[in-house]
Amino acid sequence: MLELHYIRANKERVLQGLKTRNFTEEELGIIEQIIQLDDTRKDTQTELDSLLAERNQLSKEIGSLFKQGKKEEAESQRERVASLKARASELEEKLRSTQESLAEQLYKVPNIPHESVPAGSTEEDNEVFRPWPGELPKLPEGALPHWELAQKYNIFDLDLGTKITGSGFPLYRGKGARLQRALIAFFLDEAVKAGYEEIIPPLLVNEDTARATGQLPDKEGQMYYVERDNLYLIPTAEVPLTNIYRDVILDEKDFPIKLTGYTPCFRREAGSYGAHVRGLNRVHQFDKVEIVQFQHPDKSYDTLHEMLAHVEGVLQKLELPFRILRLCGGDLGFTSALTFDFEVYSAAQHRWLEVSSVSNFETYQSNRMKLRFRDGKSTRLAHTLNGSALALARIVAALLENNQTPEGIVIPKALQDYTGFGLLD
RNA sequence: GGUGACGUGGGUGAGUGGCUGAAACCACCGGUUUGCUAAACCGGCAUACUCUGAAAGGGGUAUCGCGGGUUCGAAUCCCGCCGUCACCGCCA
């Protein structure tokens, strides 16, 4: 969430940012509300603190009066304390409820978009930050979409997944399974080569963790939830990886911290059905290698571009046509300040498929997480960033479609060491 | 799942009702000394909120796993929860 002192000191900038996110005049009122609640909070706290200070002082006096045997004086002081206490508990209650509504309001305010974020309301308005420089691949007549290639080569099976679990849970088999494993290993190796530490995190997380990265309270419906144990299945490795540093105070010299992790990702995707979600285009479970960085605020945008370059490099090695979008205010994630999406071209579907999303959250997550670093005598919030490098299911879809030949599916050179075969047939 | 013990600052660990935001030691930082390193000595060393101040700083409140209770006063007593460890049971 946004820092209160930031909102107070940069009200105009905050309002401007929310406008980029298409907040209406009425919705913008939340900022004034928050400031007023914070005023109340401060006043209440100040009053309560001085009351408690008085009580502590009296208590000390009572102690020494008892020691001196001045019982009567002590008794009268005790009565004074009793009246203080009544007022104090009123104030405590007021403070508690004020803080509660303050937090509730703050949770409703998304991150302030970076100044480069274009205006716009839908994905149509996203800016093509880097178009694909070459020609888009053209497949001969009769080229198959990936779900038909899957049947032809028996590499994954959605019906079996449906039988075992439900729709949207693909089952990979044979060379298809091997291709998954190859891609995961390839992506992890690339990240490790780029200096990221490999992590295997838990796949279920608790409430505190889900709240810290911003999945709760607003994206509750996106996650699978294990009620009995009050745990959530992760929608992305970002959640456990980022939370490693929850409630941590770093040294400036610790930056940058670079983590990578492969995990399956679970998403309910409630309400999205139709032609565009066929095959592997949108599934409830998919594999992904994530990269995460923690960085000094002054350097986080350099880091964002470094991460972009990493993802670019990986896609180039896979020899897939891709473009980079800068998300507009309306499409930008709730917690992000700036996001670039990578899309690969799926030649049989004639569509761009999103395969990576690289974002700078600035202090939005770290404020929820209390992730700080020492800056001289005081502490400051660190910046958090993450990106997919990469999400498997759609990469597989594009790979299958774009590389189909009459003989089989050609595996890009960079992957062949991992698959152990050059042609999937 | 059962039973028992325990949960104090970066670490070890003292502290069973007021003088304890918390001894001591280690680590760390600054300084003195030093041919270099080491040692020795001196000093510093939690976080959040808040008031005050131009600032440096100063004052206050809260925090000894978390939440509640008793009390004029709680790290210390009571209750609940969570976690750790040990043993038993079960088990990849």
Side-chain angles (χ1 to χ4, degrees):
Chain A
M1 64 185 103
L2 294 180
E3 294 172 84
L4 264 170
H5 71 82
Y6 182 85
I7 296 179
R8 300 189 79 108
N10 304 278
K11 197 170 141 192
E12 283 316 308
R13 164 112 177 72
V14 169
L15 291 173
Q16 203 49 51
L18 293 180
K19 278 183 195 161
T20 305
R21 286 191 184 265
N22 308 307
F23 267 53
T24 64
E25 269 316 307
E26 199 188 331
E27 288 169 325
L28 288 176
I30 192 170
I31 295 303
E32 199 48 52
Q33 255 183 66
I34 284 172
I35 290 173
Q36 277 172 21
L37 276 169
D38 191 42
D39 285 340
T40 306
R41 192 208 103 237
K42 280 190 184 191
D43 292 346
T44 311
Q45 179 126 72
T46 305
E47 198 183 340
L48 177 63
D49 281 357
S50 63
L51 220 63
L52 291 176
E54 197 181 335
R55 184 205 65 182
N56 289 344
Q57 183 54 37
L58 282 174
S59 289
K60 265 183 201 162
E61 286 170 19
I62 291 170
S64 65
L65 285 174
F66 267 124
K67 236 172 239 175
Q68 294 164 37
K70 297 181 182 167
K71 250 189 134 181
E72 274 148 48
E73 281 179 55
E75 286 302 331
S76 79
Q77 297 285 61
R78 250 162 50 168
E79 278 163 37
R80 280 180 65 194
V81 173
S83 72
L84 286 180
K85 273 173 81 172
R87 178 77 185 129
S89 65
E90 272 172 42
L91 285 171
E92 267 166 16
E93 174 51 30
K94 186 176 172 192
L95 184 63
R96 200 195 52 75
S97 71
T98 307
Q99 274 171 332
E100 199 173 282
S101 20
L102 190 56
E104 200 178 298
Q105 295 302 87
L106 273 174
Y107 274 126
K108 290 185 193 160
V109 181
N111 204 350
I112 299 308
H114 185 261
E115 56 190 10
S116 69
V117 169
S121 48
T122 69
E123 52 186 81
E124 310 288 309
D125 302 317
N126 293 334
E127 168 199 334
V128 180
F129 175 73
R130 194 162 312 160
W132 178 242
E135 292 277 301
L136 289 177
K138 274 227 157 52
L139 296 173
E141 276 306 306
L144 302 173
H146 67 273
W147 53 89
E148 286 181 32
L149 291 166
Q151 289 189 344
K152 182 171 172 186
Y153 297 111
N154 199 23
I155 45 182
F156 68 86
D157 192 326
L158 284 159
D159 294 337
L160 269 181
T162 302
K163 173 182 178 184
I164 296 166
T165 306
S167 71
F169 289 89
L171 177 146
Y172 300 90
R173 67 194 315 168
K175 284 186 169 175
R178 179 62 189 246
L179 178 60
Q180 290 287 312
R181 183 151 60 90
L183 282 165
I184 292 164
F186 170 64
F187 292 154
L188 280 174
D189 284 353
E190 289 295 308
V192 169
K193 271 189 232 161
Y196 293 86
E197 181 192 1
E198 183 175 343
I199 305 282
I200 300 181
L203 306 181
L204 283 96
V205 296
N206 61 33
E207 232 180 295
D208 287 346
T209 295
R211 191 182 313 280
T213 32
Q215 276 66 36
L216 294 179
D218 34 285
K219 283 187 230 147
E220 195 138 24
Q222 262 292 357
M223 287 187 291
Y224 288 96
Y225 174 53
V226 183
E227 190 170 9
R228 186 168 176 174
D229 298 291
N230 196 17
L231 296 172
Y232 296 85
L233 271 78
I234 56 169
T236 157
E238 162 197 348
V239 177
L241 292 186
T242 309
N243 270 277
I244 293 173
Y245 287 93
R246 173 152 51 88
D247 280 317
V248 168
I249 301 177
L250 297 164
D251 266 333
E252 213 173 313
K253 62 177 191 297
D254 295 332
F255 292 128
I257 294 174
K258 305 170 76 169
L259 306 176
T260 185
Y262 151 70
T263 67
C265 300
F266 303 93
R267 298 188 183 178
R268 294 187 63 234
E269 305 287 3
S272 41
Y273 301 99
H276 276 190
V277 304
R278 278 198 78 173
L280 296 178
N281 288 345
R282 177 164 293 165
V283 283
H284 291 306
Q285 179 184 330
F286 61 95
D287 296 298
K288 179 159 65 64
V289 171
E290 185 80 359
I291 51 177
V292 171
Q293 291 210 36
F294 304 90
Q295 183 57 286
H296 189 285
D298 295 346
K299 296 182 188 151
S300 68
Y301 280 95
D302 290 342
T303 295
L304 183 66
H305 287 278
E306 173 205 314
M307 292 168 80
L308 239 43
H310 175 74
V311 176
E312 248 183 291
V314 176
L315 282 170
Q316 278 160 1
K317 287 188 186 175
L318 287 180
E319 302 166 44
L320 288 170
F322 66 92
R323 63 177 187 180
I324 306 177
L325 304 179
R326 192 201 308 260
L327 297 196
C328 72
D331 207 22
L332 190 65
F334 193 81
T335 54
S336 175
L338 179 59
T339 296
F340 292 96
D341 271 7
F342 282 75
E343 296 183 330
V344 296
Y345 190 70
S346 143
Q349 299 181 72
H350 312 289
R351 291 177 57 198
W352 292 96
L353 298 177
E354 181 193 335
V355 292
S356 175
S357 199
V358 183
S359 306
N360 188 353
F361 302 93
E362 299 193 358
T363 59
Y364 198 89
Q365 291 183 328
S366 57
N367 190 32
R368 286 197 184 182
M369 277 199 290
K370 301 282 166 276
L371 163 55
R372 291 156 290 172
F373 68 97
R374 284 186 199 290
D375 185 36
K377 277 200 160 182
S378 63
T379 64
R380 271 175 82 186
L381 294 172
H383 281 193
T384 65
L385 304 98
N386 68 51
S388 348
L390 289 150
L392 282 240
R394 294 180 188 153
I395 288 282
V396 170
L399 217 51
L400 297 178
E401 292 179 11
N402 296 8
N403 294 7
Q404 57 185 302
T405 68
E407 290 72 40
I409 289 153
V410 177
I411 302 296
K413 237 191 223 92
L415 259 191
Q416 290 184 10
D417 284 345
Y418 292 91
T419 52
F421 51 83
L423 194 68
L424 194 157
D425 54 9

